[in-house]
Amino acid sequence: MIKICAIVYSIYLPDIRKNKENILPVPVVFVVARDSMATCKIMDADSRHAEILARYMIEEKRKGARSTKDIPVEILVQLNKGVIQTANLVEWLAVDQRELLKNVLAESGRNDYLSYVLKCVDGLNKQTVNTINEAIGVGLLQQSIENTDFELLDILARHPSDLVRCWATYTIGKNNNLSINEKLKQIQAFAADKHFGVREICWMAVRESIAGNLSESLSLLSAWTNNEDENVRRFVSEATRPRGVWCAHIETLKQDPAQGLIILEPLKSDNSRYVQDSVGNWLNDASKTQPEFVKNLCASWKQQSQSKETSYIIRKALRTIGK
């Protein structure tokens, strides 16, 4: 039920395009629902204000529903419109990506792209959230190329909806006109995204290219191991896992995991648990085909570092071998 309805005529909002903070006079009607998630109606015709406000709104933390049936109708409507981003996996799986696509293209004045992209989705042998995500991203990439519409890619990359930003990652990963160096350079912003879904999808989007250019990719990614953002460091190990999750295996690393030392060594004592989990999982993957390599490496790391971070990674790395 509605608890508050108020008109706000001026809001202090960050200008996300210029990295400045400005007072923007944005007339807005806020409606606070039962779950304390504020919804809004932009009264100002300036779409720039609308975009900034949407970004501001989604930065506010909220708890997502525990099951699809518990998602409030008004929240699901906003998710499908692309006004807000998903709060958890339940919401992420509940979004109707076809409806979201329709709304995003209508909002940007590109309705003529809709039928082609939907055909890409309908042509899938198996439709899952991930396959639909990729099909939409690839379809939008093709439309942007055919129509020389590079502004579209920028719109997707800056969109308030996390799923739309996921589509954007495939416009990079599946763009055959980009070198692996260019792909990784462009994907780094998504690796640092605040949303868990975007961070997962972005490495999936470029994993095939990484596997196909493994030596160069590992060399390029080794420079990321010193990045101050833990999300970027975690991308390095997660994108190159020999087996990974929901993705094709990298056979070269399954058989010769030593090639991964260029990225693993700098992360062996990383202070982020997010990174530690990924590195431990990388080595656990490798242990299923090359257990001696993993045992020897962990023994070496144990001698080099008695830190709790390294010890944690070693425990995760050896968990399958120890069974």
Side-chain angles (χ1 to χ4, degrees):
M1 288 296 184
I2 293 174
K3 291 159 69 174
I4 302 172
C5 181
I7 298 179
V8 180
Y9 286 98
S10 186
I11 279 185
Y12 185 68
L13 296 175
D15 187 330
I16 59 172
R17 295 185 180 180
K18 296 181 180 178
N19 293 321
K20 297 178 180 178
E21 290 188 337
N22 298 316
I23 293 293
L24 299 177
V26 188
V28 178
V29 172
F30 278 100
V31 179
V32 181
R34 221 172 4 187
D35 64 353
S36 298
M37 175 60 195
T39 65
C40 64
K41 179 179 180 182
I42 312 298
M43 306 301 291
D44 191 300
D46 189 333
S47 61
R48 175 173 170 274
H49 288 173
E51 177 191 9
I52 294 170
L53 180 60
R55 289 279 182 138
Y56 175 82
M57 294 292 292
I58 63 174
E59 288 300 321
E60 296 302 309
K61 295 286 186 181
R62 64 182 179 83
K63 293 182 179 179
R66 293 186 176 182
S67 66
T68 303
K69 63 181 177 59
D70 295 327
I71 300 175
V73 173
E74 63 271 19
I75 293 296
L76 191 57
V77 168
Q78 289 179 81
L79 290 169
N80 288 333
K81 284 184 176 180
V83 176
I84 60 173
Q85 61 184 5
T86 61
N88 59 16
L89 184 59
V90 170
E91 290 186 358
W92 197 78
L93 294 171
V95 174
D96 183 340
Q97 292 193 70
R98 291 177 178 81
E99 183 67 18
L100 177 60
L101 174 67
K102 179 180 176 182
N103 288 325
V104 169
L105 291 178
E107 182 184 29
S108 64
R110 292 170 170 83
N111 287 317
D112 51 331
Y113 295 0
L114 182 62
S115 61
Y116 175 84
V117 181
L118 287 179
K119 283 181 182 177
C120 294
V121 175
D122 294 336
L124 292 169
N125 292 326
K126 184 178 181 180
Q127 295 190 4
T128 66
V129 174
N130 286 343
T131 59
I132 291 173
N133 208 311
E134 179 176 350
I136 291 177
V138 172
L140 291 172
L141 171 64
Q142 292 303 316
Q143 287 298 289
S144 71
I145 293 173
E146 289 179 18
N147 294 279
T148 321
D149 182 7
F150 302 112
E151 181 189 15
L152 172 62
L153 305 184
D154 188 49
I155 290 172
L156 300 178
R158 294 184 294 104
H159 204 278
S161 168
D162 53 288
L163 276 159
V164 175
R165 299 199 301 280
C166 287
W167 301 343
T169 68
Y170 284 108
T171 69
I172 297 169
K174 300 304 178 181
N175 188 343
N176 294 327
N177 295 321
L178 298 177
S179 67
I180 186 61
N181 183 35
E182 292 169 325
K183 287 182 179 182
L184 290 176
K185 192 176 294 184
Q186 291 186 29
I187 211 72
Q188 190 180 85
F190 297 93
D193 199 280
K194 298 297 184 184
H195 194 276
F196 69 91
V198 180
R199 295 197 301 271
E200 290 304 311
I201 294 299
C202 76
W203 66 257
M204 294 183 193
V206 295
R207 182 173 165 90
E208 183 179 1
S209 296
I210 288 174
N213 303 272
L214 188 58
S215 294
E216 183 180 2
S217 297
L218 290 171
S219 178
L220 291 167
L221 289 171
S222 66
W224 294 22
T225 59
N226 293 318
N227 194 286
E228 63 181 12
D229 190 327
E230 65 176 339
N231 295 323
V232 173
R233 300 196 305 276
R234 187 257 188 179
F235 175 96
V236 175
S237 51
E238 199 65 23
T240 59
R241 282 177 57 180
R243 292 172 178 265
V245 180
W246 301 331
C247 60
H249 295 179
I250 300 179
E251 290 297 328
T252 301
L253 291 177
K254 285 171 63 178
Q255 302 309 319
D256 185 16
Q259 291 190 39
L261 289 175
I262 190 174
I263 57 138
L264 296 173
E265 287 286 355
L267 298 176
K268 68 177 180 290
S269 299
D270 197 281
N271 60 11
S272 165
R273 182 55 61 92
Y274 195 40
V275 177
Q276 293 164 23
D277 283 336
S278 183
V279 175
N281 288 335
W282 198 110
L283 289 170
N284 183 61
D285 281 358
S287 75
K288 296 172 183 177
T289 47
Q290 299 294 333
E292 290 305 313
F293 165 82
V294 175
K295 285 193 288 187
N296 291 336
L297 180 64
C298 288
S300 174
W301 282 4
K302 190 173 183 179
Q303 284 188 334
Q304 295 174 39
S305 171
Q306 278 73 52
S307 72
K308 61 181 181 180
E309 291 83 4
T310 304
S311 296
Y312 178 82
I313 291 172
I314 290 173
R315 286 197 302 274
K316 288 193 73 71
L318 298 175
R319 68 184 186 273
T320 298
I321 296 176
K323 288 182 178 179

